[in-house]
Amino acid sequence: TQLLEQSPQFLSIQEGENLTVYCNSSSVFSSLQWYRQEPGEGPVLLVTVVTGGEVKKLKRLTFQFGDARKDSSLHITAAQPGDTGLYLCALINAGGTSYGKLTFGQGTILTVHP
Amino acid sequence: SQTIHQWPATLVQPVGSPLSLECTVEGTSNPNLYWYRQAAGRGLQLLFYSVGIGQISSEVPQNLSASRPQDRQFILSSKKLLLSDSGFYLCASFTGPGPRGYTFGSGTRLTVV
């Protein structure tokens, strides 16, 4: 079973600071997704990365897929209180009868203080 | 785009009571459907998935069961709840790769007392 390790588990920063969340796999993955979740709600998909070395930007969020396809990072520039939430990385199982199953990392709880 | 409806939003049940959580999907057909459970502030654990009507696969041994009586209906059940069944239950639908392929419901917070 492919495992995902996310770090850090908790992140508490001041508004305006930058931060990076990391997601590492025990083996090569075909594609990886990043989600953001608020308390009492389901996760909301932010991005899917597929190609090694790929970089995607979503406003102040930058997502990177490692060249070796075993790691990914999420970087937030000038964090705002509205960025507060649980950030999750997840692998998509891309084949066979398990198609579409997600394996999640443990999550990073981000708190941005005004 | 697909939408997932889950109910109820919150539920408090005594130990030993039965459970039925329902999930329905709109805006798509023949989706793969999933039940996940989440501990507070942590990642999601896959419980069951279904690739079609009547087809259920279980990921972890547990006190729960799932059924898919219709293409866009997925039900999570238990005959007798345990304290350890408490958690946040999420239904999800997957129709294929792409930004809108994976959608989660808003979840049910179950507390077993």
Side-chain angles (χ1 to χ4, degrees):
Chain A
T1 302
Q2 197 166 12
L3 299 177
L4 275 181
E5 290 189 9
Q6 238 182 287
S7 62
Q9 293 185 30
F10 303 94
L11 203 51
S12 180
I13 62 173
Q14 294 296 123
E15 182 175 2
E17 293 183 358
N18 301 332
L19 66 110
T20 302
V21 178
Y22 300 93
C23 184
N24 296 287
S25 172
S26 56
S27 55
V28 174
F29 41 70
S30 57
S31 62
L32 182 137
Q33 295 184 325
W34 284 94
Y35 289 84
R36 178 172 173 271
Q37 184 181 19
E38 297 195 25
E41 298 291 330
V44 175
L45 179 65
L46 297 174
V47 76
T48 301
V49 285
V50 178
T51 306
E54 182 176 7
V55 177
K56 286 190 174 180
K57 292 193 175 185
L58 186 65
K59 297 183 180 178
R60 293 176 293 101
L61 278 61
T62 302
F63 304 86
Q64 189 157 6
F65 202 14
D67 291 337
R69 302 161 63 100
K70 295 182 69 175
D71 60 277
S72 181
S73 64
L74 157 60
H75 182 80
I76 301 179
T77 304
Q80 299 176 0
D83 294 326
T84 294
L86 174 66
Y87 289 82
L88 296 157
C89 62
L91 295 174
I92 305 174
N93 190 309
T97 57
S98 299
Y99 184 56
K101 286 168 53 179
L102 290 178
T103 300
F104 282 88
Q106 285 297 90
T108 296
I109 298 175
L110 170 65
T111 305
V112 182
H113 302 280
Chain B
S1 61
Q2 55 183 317
T3 305
I4 296 185
H5 301 280
Q6 258 189 267
W7 66 92
T10 59
L11 191 59
V12 180
Q13 292 283 102
V15 169
S17 64
L19 172 75
S20 181
L21 300 181
E22 190 161 342
C23 166
T24 58
V25 183
E26 290 182 357
T28 187
S29 59
N30 302 315
N32 285 5
L33 297 176
Y34 307 84
W35 278 111
Y36 289 88
R37 178 168 59 201
Q38 185 178 31
R42 310 309 290 163
L44 285 69
Q45 179 189 36
L46 180 63
L47 303 177
F48 299 96
Y49 70 95
S50 171
V51 299
I53 296 174
Q55 299 181 61
I56 307 294
S57 296
S58 174
E59 284 293 294
V60 294
Q62 59 198 300
N63 183 44
L64 302 168
S65 61
S67 61
R68 186 169 178 177
Q70 300 179 42
D71 180 48
R72 288 175 284 182
Q73 184 184 29
F74 203 24
I75 298 171
L76 184 68
S77 305
S78 173
K79 292 182 179 179
K80 290 185 177 181
L81 283 169
L82 306 172
L83 287 175
S84 58
D85 292 324
S86 294
F88 191 49
Y89 290 84
L90 288 151
C91 178
S93 171
F94 179 69
T95 54
R100 300 186 185 280
Y102 221 106
T103 303
F104 282 88
S106 55
T108 294
R109 171 74 59 195
L110 171 66
T111 304
V112 183
V113 296

